[in-house]
């Protein structure tokens, strides 16, 4: 057991599963000698060679389409998309092909494929290096979508994803690559990819969130709980498709007040779905309207620091929302 | 067809294809034609809601199918590849089950439109409706074949219209860069639904583009079984030696409307429709086989009779098969627990 960053945990997950299973290989831009633009594959090319850590041409549909083909033949590909912002050329391959392969063939074929992509902002990445596209994929049956919030989950969920018989989109918050740290066992292990995680139990209010927002909510909640008598539950959704409906409903019924926090903009998002689940299944248990925090309705995150800061869900915004809900 | 590359290619290869191979090509093409015609009948009778035909492409597909090894090679087809799927071992019954949307349809259990082929047991990868996406799947299959040190190869096909999109380029670029064992087949029938070739691309041959990827590109007369077979055999040898992919363009004719929902008379000149039927690839192959003494008139008749008989039996069996239960629509979104 050692303290590792998010990106180190992801790298260790890939390395150990590649050692464990020679069908696993990586295809992506700059994943070879450079080790990826964020260093996620650092050292893997040196260890596994050209055949298993392959630099791809600069073509995202190619990356995913080739990985689908390799998966159909029995390999276990990892497609690295350099930034989630650039996954769009591959969406036809992901939604029309990978997501539908099992269904359209009546279970004759499956695509065991992991697509890793860094997402999210707050790193001066501007419009095309900051986006959060998870919701788009969460509306597609046939896909699984996960967002780890900490290094332990990242390693365990990645290994689970690599053993999953169906396509898994594994989205990593790029700001968390080095800022998120935590204990990670040295050995290989799995964390299930279809369950939420109650990271903090509470009685008065539930915060549903995921990704880098989990640690931010934990910090704000700790500060608020020190100042006043309030007990806050925090649920790390971590599996966005499928959502862990049972855990969501149980927590909302228990506390009766719900705040949903995400970095992505709110319209037709994860928070919309969680809110819908709660309105369907928890109506009689609620003591306040569901509250949501997310990005504003602008196309993407602007570059200039004041504009970028305006976009982000900050600790101040979370604190205000908690206080309003508590007072309701 | 007066394609210079084809003429050059054909020189010296006439008569080099073994009679049994020519017979195999013919049998596959005839089975495909008879099956195709029968599904059209089912469609026009209102018993099959949709069909998209391979008529006019059969000789090209059957010849390539005879040059590969369906026991180890894989095909990632497109919707006109009825003959190719027969070459890889699917049966007419498999296609009737699909046309009639029956539960036991091996392509999709009645979930997809007909002519969306796929059968794991026959090394035929499931295909959807977006065009050219399958090029990348075949490339990935070939990458896996190479990484696993097999000597197998993958075959994939598409129409000339589908070569205008990005996946066509991305697949050729990747497969050529990594010298992957792929046969890229373009079945150029001159029309993408209603859009003729001269509105699709500035040149008359897709195979010209192979030069840009540093791989061989050949155009063959899709009614010339010998030329098609030889081109495929050359590409197969190259792929098995690890020298990389080949782009083979079959110049074929579309003998029907695009699909059962289309009426080509709205956009295709009447005299052209007449002409393509006069140069039907199957008739040309028959003429060639007779001329070369490979088969007699009696042989041709018995092959055709056998195909009709097989199709009668298979259609009957498919018609008796059950439709899917409605609630089975929920199954196989994801793998189910064993």
């Amino acid at each position: 057991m050692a303290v590792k960053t998010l990106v180190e945990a992801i790298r260790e997950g890939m390395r150990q599963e590649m050692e464990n299973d020679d069908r696993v290989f990586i295809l992506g831009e700059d994943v070879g000698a450079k080790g990826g633009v964020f260093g996620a594959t650092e050292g893997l090319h040196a260890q596994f060679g050209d055949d298993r850590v392959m630099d791809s041409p600069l073509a995202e549909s190619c990356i995913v389409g080739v990985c689908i083909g390799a998966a159909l033949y029995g390999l276990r590909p990892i497609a690295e998309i350099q930034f989630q912002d650039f996954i769009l050329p591959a969406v036809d391959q992901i939604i029309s092909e990978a997501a539908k392969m099992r269904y359209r063939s009546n279970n004759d074929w499956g695509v065991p494929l992991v697509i890793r992509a860094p997402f999210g902002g707050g790193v001066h990445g501007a419009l095309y290096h900051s986006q959060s596209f998870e919701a788009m994929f969460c509306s597609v049956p046939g896909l699984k979508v996960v967002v780890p919030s900490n290094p332990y989950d990242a390693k365990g969920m990645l290994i689970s994803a690599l053993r999953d018989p169906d396509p898994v989109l594994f989205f990593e918050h790029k700001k968390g690559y080095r800022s998120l740290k935590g204990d990670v066992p040295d050995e290989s292990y799995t964390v299930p990819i279809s369950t939420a995680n109650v990271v903090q139990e509470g009685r008065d209010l539930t915060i549903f969130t995921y990704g880098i927002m989990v640690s931010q909510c934990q910090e704000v909640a700790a500060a608020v709980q020190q100042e006043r008598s309030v007990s806050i539950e925090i649920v790390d959704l971590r599996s966005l498709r499928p959502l862990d409906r049972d855990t969501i409903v149980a927590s909302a019924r228990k506390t009766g007040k719900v705040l949903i926090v995400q970095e992505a903009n709110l319209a037709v998002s994860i928070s919309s779905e969680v809110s819908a689940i709660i309105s369907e299944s928890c109506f009689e248990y609620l003591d306040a309207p569901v509250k949501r925090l997310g990005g504003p309705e602008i196309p993407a995150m602007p570059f200039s620091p004041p504009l970028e800061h305006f976009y982000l869900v900050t600790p101040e915004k979370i604190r205000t929302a908690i206080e309003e809900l508590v007072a309701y | 067809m007066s394609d210079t590359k084809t003429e050059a290619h054909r020189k010296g290869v006439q008569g080099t294809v073994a009679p049994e191979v020519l017979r195999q090509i013919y049998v596959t093409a005839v089975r495909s034609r008879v099956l195709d015609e029968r599904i059209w009948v089912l469609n026009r009778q209102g018993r099959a809601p949709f069909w998209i035909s391979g008529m006019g492409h059969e000789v090209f597909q059957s010849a390539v199918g005879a040059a590969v090894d369906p026991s180890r090679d894989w095909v990632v087809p497109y919707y006109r590849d009825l003959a190719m799927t027969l070459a890889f071992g699917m049966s007419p019954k498999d296609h009737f089950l699909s046309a009639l949307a029956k539960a036991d349809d091996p392509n999709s259990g009645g979930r997809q439109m007909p002519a969306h082929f796929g059968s794991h047991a026959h090394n035929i990868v499931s295909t959807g409706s977006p065009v050219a996406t399958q090029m990348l799947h075949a490339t990935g299959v070939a990458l896996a074949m190479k990484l696993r040190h097999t000597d197998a190869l993958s075959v994939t096909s598409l129409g000339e219209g589908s070569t205008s999109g990005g996946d066509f380029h991305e697949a050729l670029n990747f497969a050529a860069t990594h010298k992957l064992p792929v046969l890229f087949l373009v079945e150029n029938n001159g029309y993408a639904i209603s859009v003729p070739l001269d509105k699709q691309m500035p040149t008359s041959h897709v195979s010209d583009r192979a030069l840009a990827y540093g791989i061989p590109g050949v155009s063959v007369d899709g009614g010339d079984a010998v030329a098609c077979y030889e081109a495929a055999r050359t590409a197969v040898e190259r792929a098995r030696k690890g020298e990389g992919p080949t782009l083979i363009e079959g110049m074929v004719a579309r003998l029907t409307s695009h699909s059962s929902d289309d009426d080509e008379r709205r956009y295709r000149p009447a005299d052209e429709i007449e002409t393509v039927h006069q140069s039907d690839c199957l008739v040309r192959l028959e003429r060639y086989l007779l001329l070369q003494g490979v088969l007699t008139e009696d042989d041709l008749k018995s092959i055709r009779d056998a195909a009709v008989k097989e199709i009668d039996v298979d259609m009957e069996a498919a018609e008796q098969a059950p439709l899917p239960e409605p609630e089975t629509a929920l199954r196989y979104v994801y793998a189910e627990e064993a």
Side-chain angles (χ1 to χ4, degrees), chain A residues 147-153 157 180 191 195-202 205-222 225 231-239 244 247-248 251 254:
Chain A
V147 179
S149 70
N150 62 77
Y152 177 87
D153 280 358
M157 291 172 85
L180 294 173
V191 171
T195 61
N197 183 27
V198 180
V199 294
Q200 173 178 319
E201 294 214 37
L205 161 75
T206 302
I207 302 176
F208 294 105
T209 186
Y210 57 93
I212 200 168
M213 285 292 151
V214 173
S215 55
Q216 196 163 313
C217 288
Q218 283 178 291
E219 285 166 28
V220 176
Q225 288 183 136
S231 169
I232 299 171
E233 179 146 307
I234 298 177
V235 177
D236 176 4
L237 295 168
R238 73 182 176 183
S239 169
D244 183 350
T247 300
I248 292 168
S251 182
K254 182 172 82 170

Side-chain angles (χ1 to χ4, degrees), chain A residues 272-312:
Chain A
S272 314
E273 188 62 21
V274 173
S275 181
I277 289 170
I278 291 167
S279 71
E280 284 167 346
S281 304
C282 310
F283 178 71
E284 297 93 340
Y285 298 81
L286 292 183
D287 297 322
V290 169
K291 206 170 188 55
R292 300 189 293 153
L293 283 178
E297 286 295 299
I298 56 177
M301 207 175 288
F303 182 59
S304 181
L307 299 177
E308 181 183 68
H309 188 74
F310 177 82
Y311 186 106
L312 290 166

Side-chain angles (χ1 to χ4, degrees), chain A residues 22-23 25 27 51 54-57 59-62 65-66 68-70 72-73 75 92-93 96-97 99 101-109 140-144 165-166 241, chain B residues 74 103 106-109 111-112 118-121 124-128 130 133 136-137 139-141 143-145 147-148 150 152 167 170 173-174 178 329-335:
Chain A
D22 70 1
R23 298 172 302 170
F25 76 100
L27 180 65
D51 281 357
M54 296 183 71
D55 279 326
S56 74
E60 285 77 13
S61 186
C62 173
V66 165
I68 290 171
L72 292 169
Y73 199 71
L75 299 190
D92 196 21
Q93 288 289 350
S96 301
E97 302 294 338
M101 188 65 74
R102 186 178 300 283
Y103 190 79
R104 79 179 186 208
S105 68
N106 204 25
N107 205 36
D108 198 28
W109 296 92
V140 181
L143 298 178
K144 297 180 180 180
D166 291 305
R241 180 173 192 95
Chain B
W74 282 35
N107 299 279
S108 79
R111 291 172 172 203
Q112 291 217 82
S119 170
H120 211 147
I124 302 170
V125 171
S126 165
T127 43
T133 47
L136 286 164
H137 303 168
T139 301
V141 166
L143 173 66
M145 287 167 164
L147 294 181
R148 300 314 263 182
T150 74
D167 280 358
E170 294 189 23
N173 182 56
F174 190 92
H178 291 280
L330 292 171
R331 298 194 67 184
Y332 306 129
V333 179
Y334 301 99

Side-chain angles (χ1 to χ4, degrees), chain A residues 112-150:
Chain A
L113 163 65
V114 176
I115 301 173
R116 293 182 37 250
F119 78 105
V123 295
H124 315 305
L127 276 72
Y128 299 103
H129 297 78
S130 304
Q131 294 176 92
S132 299
F133 279 142
E134 60 274 18
M136 172 172 29
F137 298 103
C138 289
S139 70
V140 181
L143 298 178
K144 297 180 180 180
V145 181
V146 302
V147 179
S149 70
N150 62 77

